[in-house]
Amino acid sequence: ETATFAAARRKLIIHFFDLGPLGRYEAAMTAGVWDDSDENLQGQALWARVFERAEATNKLAALWNAVVAKDERLSQTANPFTT
C-alpha cells in the first residue's frame, strides 16, 4: 500500500463518516458495497466491513463517487481510485 493510496483512503473514510448514518448507508448502496448481512453489525464494525468489501471488490472508486455526490467539499478533487 503506497502512502498516496493510504492518504486517499483516509480522506475517503473521513468524508464517508461525515455523511452521517443515513448518508453512509445510501453511499454504500449506491457504490454496490452494501450487503444485507451488514444489518447484523453495529457501529464501527459495520462500516469497517463495508470498506473491506469495497477494497476487496475494487469498488473504492465507486464509493468515492457516491460520497462526492453527497459531499461537495470533494467535488474539486479527482477520484484517486480510478485507474
Side-chain angles (χ1 to χ4, degrees), residues 23-51:
R24 290 194 291 267
Y25 172 77
E26 291 171 342
M29 290 286 288
T30 299
V33 294
W34 177 266
D35 187 272
D36 289 340
S37 67
D38 295 335
E39 292 177 4
N40 300 321
L41 298 171
Q42 296 287 316
Q44 198 169 354
L46 164 63
W47 304 116
R49 172 80 56 87
V50 166
F51 264 85

